Amino acid sequence: NIMMLGLNLQRYEYEKLVKNDKNPNIFIDTAREAVLFLAHGIGQLAETPDNIASGRKLLNHALNIYKSGLDRFPKSLALRFNFVRTVFHFGFPSDVDEALRLSKEILQSPLLSWEIDVMEDVFPWDFYSTFFNYRRYFDTIEEILMDDTAKRETLVKLILASLHYYVGHYTGNIEHFQRATQMDPEFPFYT
């Protein structure tokens, strides 16, 4: 149940979140599991006051993990991307304002200013699949793993296209929709 997941996440080597100084993976993985449970498990629970309160508590826990990770790894694109996607789909209006600010900051930064590693997990294909071309992202990771000369820049562009699409939805600015389509013209949901 949702309470058990929350307790397990709190116990899940929480000290590693504080002591980890090598990469953002523990932040990404821990918060991602909580969010995926919310995305896929919460709909199967009865909407009781206890379940709603537990879901909000779990969301807050995941957001706090993301924020701690962003403090430690401010250039991690996968961490930022997962955070803003979580907020866009589950956050409160004040959280969405912060996610929009972070998204615009990412979009205004030079393409190569962000760190991304193929071992950093973004949300899978079934997590709001019309907002991100996960299949192409995953295919690109496979290409990179087989041939290290493949450009990681493609991963960044796919994330940026998705962020443009999200920002377009929240602001109504058509230029963001156009940029999403330009950056990933093969993805039918952008066109």
Side-chain angles (χ1 to χ4, degrees):
N1 86 22
I2 198 166
M3 292 291 279
M4 287 302 292
L5 178 65
L7 292 172
N8 288 338
L9 281 173
Q10 288 176 350
R11 289 188 206 121
Y12 178 65
E13 303 181 49
Y14 194 76
E15 296 84 36
K16 282 189 178 180
L17 292 175
V18 176
K19 295 178 184 174
N20 181 5
D21 62 353
K22 294 182 176 116
N23 62 56
N25 290 358
I26 191 74
F27 295 94
I28 293 169
D29 295 344
T30 305
R32 182 178 175 269
E33 290 308 308
V35 174
L36 287 174
F37 181 81
L38 285 171
H40 299 296
I42 200 82
Q44 299 171 3
L45 298 174
E47 285 197 26
T48 66
D50 287 342
N51 285 342
I52 291 169
S54 296
R56 286 186 181 149
K57 187 181 280 189
L58 185 58
L59 174 62
N60 286 335
H61 183 67
L63 293 178
N64 287 335
I65 291 170
Y66 279 132
K67 288 175 184 177
S68 295
L70 290 172
D71 287 343
R72 300 278 310 278
F73 302 98
K75 294 292 184 185
S76 171
L77 187 56
L79 185 65
R80 278 180 178 245
F81 186 51
N82 285 355
F83 172 71
V84 299
R85 289 188 81 198
T86 298
V87 171
F88 286 146
H89 292 289
F90 298 107
F92 294 103
S94 60
D95 298 324
V96 171
D97 290 341
E98 180 184 5
L100 278 171
R101 182 187 59 76
L102 285 174
S103 296
K104 289 175 182 178
E105 179 182 298
I106 293 167
L107 295 172
Q108 293 169 354
S109 299
L111 184 74
L112 298 177
S113 66
W114 299 104
E115 296 170 2
I116 189 131
D117 187 277
V118 295
M119 300 312 289
E120 295 172 349
D121 288 327
V122 296
F123 289 112
W125 69 270
D126 60 345
F127 184 86
Y128 300 97
S129 60
T130 60
F131 286 86
F132 178 58
N133 191 351
Y134 177 80
R135 291 178 192 267
R136 183 163 175 225
Y137 187 88
F138 188 74
D139 288 346
T140 303
I141 287 174
E142 288 181 345
E143 290 171 19
I144 291 170
L145 291 173
M146 291 187 311
D147 177 11
D148 197 31
T149 62
K151 294 189 176 186
R152 294 172 193 259
E153 177 180 311
T154 302
L155 298 176
V156 175
K157 285 182 179 177
L158 291 170
I159 288 174
L160 297 180
S162 178
L163 289 175
H164 274 295
Y165 194 63
Y166 276 106
V167 172
H169 274 281
Y170 274 94
T171 65
N173 184 335
I174 196 158
E175 290 176 25
H176 286 288
F177 292 120
Q178 292 169 336
R179 290 288 295 145
T181 304
Q182 290 167 353
M183 295 182 96
D184 189 4
E186 297 169 15
F187 195 48
F189 296 104
Y190 296 163
T191 57

